[in-house]
Amino acid sequence: MTVQQVIESKLATLDPSHLEVVNESGNHNVPPGSESHFKVVLVSSRFEGLRAIQRHRVIHELLSEEISGPIHALALHLYTDADWTKRFGEAPKSPPCLGGSKAG
């Protein structure tokens, strides 16, 4: 598994309503194909009642092995569902599937 896949897998345990893990290593002076600099955008109800520092501690605990190893930099953008909606609004919903080629 790649470092990015490990991060995504571990963060999925927070039951996120939105999760983005972006490998930003290419923006830094590292060898091509590096996985050392990441940005995480995570929206989870598990952050309800937690201050920003407490949210960061949750992530650092989950990713402690990676932070002490291959991850050099980790930018965290952590929101509750209410925070996300207030800041960015509702994400547009995809239209319902009509069954593809079976739609008649």
Side-chain angles (χ1 to χ4, degrees), residues 3-44:
V3 174
Q4 182 167 346
Q5 290 170 328
V6 169
I7 294 169
E8 290 169 345
S9 174
K10 288 185 174 186
L11 295 180
T13 64
L14 295 173
D15 194 27
S17 56
H18 179 81
L19 174 61
E20 290 176 60
V21 178
V22 181
N23 182 352
E24 297 185 323
S25 302
N27 300 337
H28 301 276
N29 188 22
V30 296
S34 292
E35 289 189 286
S36 57
H37 295 70
F38 290 91
K39 174 174 71 174
V40 170
V41 180
L42 194 149
V43 181
S44 175

Side-chain angles (χ1 to χ4, degrees), residues 16 25 28-31 39-40 42 45 50-51 55 66-67 73 90-91 97 101-102:
S25 302
H28 301 276
N29 188 22
V30 296
K39 174 174 71 174
V40 170
L42 194 149
S45 61
L50 299 181
R51 297 185 325 264
R55 296 174 189 188
E66 291 71 30
I67 290 170
E90 294 282 339
C97 180
S101 61
K102 295 180 182 178

Side-chain angles (χ1 to χ4, degrees), residues 55-88:
R55 296 174 189 188
H56 282 242
R57 285 180 181 147
V58 168
I59 302 305
H60 280 249
E61 187 175 313
L62 278 173
L63 300 178
S64 62
E65 190 175 322
E66 291 71 30
I67 290 170
S68 64
I71 295 178
H72 172 73
L74 184 63
L76 298 175
H77 305 273
L78 309 173
Y79 306 96
T80 65
D81 292 308
D83 293 337
W84 180 263
T85 301
K86 182 178 179 183
R87 200 154 205 211
F88 303 108

